[in-house]
Amino acid sequence: MPQLLEVWNDTVDSKHLVGSIAIGIGVAVPAFLISDHLFTSTGDAELGHSYALLIGIVGCIIGAVIAGILFKPKRVITQSQADTRNRQEVIDEVVEEYGELGDPRDLKPAVQEEIRALGLFDALVENHESRSKGAQL
């Protein structure tokens, strides 16, 4: 089992982290040193150092891309189906705290579509109808 570490709120394999650092150094430092030598020997030394720094930054980006391709993320994402009963309980709590929500079918089509995408439209309609029947009694 790999030794996993948490770095900047992300889970990483310690061997892959060391490998990524080595790749970054192995690409960026030679890119900087070679370009610094080439740019400073052909003209203005200050401008040559600045361009060499830019090449070194590009080397860092290239190293990060290589490491990203070689070492895949270690995250495991699981999704579970929401319990509609819990939705109704939450909707009831919202109604108790903030007041009646109204009929979601009266909303603009774009808003209805967004509520459907969240999977809440049917639960809101059911809640509205049950409250309407309760008020009529």
Side-chain angles (χ1 to χ4, degrees), residues 9-63:
N9 293 324
D10 202 359
T11 305
V12 296
D13 183 341
S14 59
K15 291 178 184 175
H16 291 177
L17 178 63
V18 170
S20 296
I21 292 170
I23 290 170
I25 291 171
V27 172
V29 171
F32 169 74
L33 293 174
I34 292 169
S35 60
D36 188 48
H37 177 70
L38 291 175
F39 286 130
T40 55
S41 65
T42 59
D44 185 16
E46 272 189 46
L47 189 59
H49 290 310
S50 298
Y51 283 134
L53 258 167
L54 287 174
I55 299 297
I57 292 171
V58 170
C60 288
I61 294 169
I62 291 170

Side-chain angles (χ1 to χ4, degrees), residues 2 38 56 59 61 63 65 81-83 114 131:
L38 291 175
I61 294 169
V65 169
Q81 189 69 301
D83 186 6
E114 191 171 330
R131 290 192 177 273

Side-chain angles (χ1 to χ4, degrees), residues 101-119:
L101 298 175
D103 190 352
R105 293 170 288 206
D106 294 339
L107 297 170
K108 294 179 183 177
V111 176
Q112 285 185 25
E113 212 37 59
E114 191 171 330
I115 293 172
R116 278 190 178 93
L118 293 171

Side-chain angles (χ1 to χ4, degrees), residues 80-88:
S80 62
Q81 189 69 301
D83 186 6
T84 57
R85 185 171 25 97
N86 290 337
R87 286 185 187 163
Q88 286 301 332

